[in-house]
Amino acid sequence: MLENWVVMPTCLPLVRRRCHACTSQRFRTSGNFRVNANHKLIDAWLLALCTACGETAKLAVLERMNVRSVRPELLDRMHDNDPGLAAELLQDPVVRRRSRIALDWDNAWRLDTGGSDHLDREVIDVSVRIAARIPVRPVRLIAEGCGLSRAEVERLIMEGKLVSTVRLSGKLSGDFTFTLKR
């Protein structure tokens, strides 16, 4: 029987970027936007606050775009400070590259295993779905989901009792499956 696990975001991730006012490297965003139109051109930024000093950083979403080329529903969502839009834009590689930021997902996600009735079975087949582009360590997920230590999970991989079609060491941000034989 295939188990389904889901990695779900619990809040917006922290933004990693150097603060110009202090030595901090972390910013928190609440989903507030600033939109500025100048004649036919529009700029829009997602605002982020330094976790140490409170300095505001603007993460470029739109730069010098023609107003008519921007979808009206996108503008409405920005004017409404939609936190869902903020989450989407933070995961957009173009926005991250343009603003020179990285995301810090520590303590911003949780693993939902659907219960612990799988722990007593001899063979467990698990499909892990990652709801957002959250980079996670499969070894950590498996350890947390099966109630094992990370060292024990790594030992099971070495012994061939934990197998997957993807490499389980390092980080993944996409869905994967694995089989655990006890």
Side-chain angles (χ1 to χ4, degrees):
M1 179 176 187
L2 184 68
E3 296 279 330
N4 291 309
W5 293 1
V6 181
V7 176
M8 301 190 56
T10 56
C11 61
L12 292 173
L14 291 177
V15 173
R16 287 195 335 233
R17 173 183 173 168
R18 188 177 65 80
C19 179
H20 297 292
C22 70
T23 60
S24 176
Q25 296 278 332
R26 304 262 190 272
F27 286 80
R28 181 175 319 283
T29 181
S30 61
N32 291 333
F33 291 88
R34 176 165 180 231
V35 180
N36 185 26
N38 185 359
H39 300 288
K40 294 180 183 178
L41 300 178
I42 190 167
D43 294 300
W45 301 276
L46 176 61
L47 302 178
L49 298 176
C50 177
T51 57
C53 70
E55 181 73 17
T56 301
K58 298 187 295 188
L59 311 177
V61 176
L62 302 174
E63 289 181 313
R64 311 309 297 164
M65 300 234 353
N66 189 307
V67 174
R68 292 180 189 263
S69 68
V70 180
R71 295 184 333 266
E73 56 273 2
L74 177 63
L75 280 175
D76 289 343
R77 290 178 74 187
M78 281 192 244
H79 286 299
D80 293 340
N81 290 321
D82 184 356
L85 177 61
E88 291 171 30
L89 291 171
L90 282 174
Q91 295 196 33
D92 184 346
V94 174
V95 171
R96 288 201 319 253
R97 189 173 36 256
R98 184 183 303 141
S99 297
R100 297 183 188 100
I101 62 169
L103 300 180
D104 182 356
W105 281 97
D106 289 350
N107 303 316
W109 59 271
R110 68 178 172 83
L111 175 64
D112 182 11
T113 61
S116 60
D117 60 333
H118 61 277
L119 297 177
D120 57 346
R121 281 192 263 142
E122 198 65 31
V123 177
I124 305 169
D125 289 316
V126 178
S127 171
V128 179
R129 187 174 69 80
I130 302 179
R133 275 186 237 141
I134 305 171
V136 294
R137 296 188 183 281
V139 169
R140 177 182 173 198
L141 279 182
I142 295 167
E144 185 178 322
C146 294
L148 304 170
S149 69
R150 288 187 209 171
E152 197 170 352
V153 170
E154 289 173 0
R155 182 183 54 79
L156 290 169
I157 292 170
M158 294 299 288
E159 293 174 357
K161 294 182 177 181
L162 179 57
V163 293
S164 177
T165 57
V166 298
R167 196 181 84 214
L168 295 174
S169 61
K171 288 187 176 184
L172 289 174
S173 56
D175 301 349
F176 66 98
T177 59
F178 68 89
T179 301
L180 173 62
K181 302 170 191 160
R182 298 204 186 213

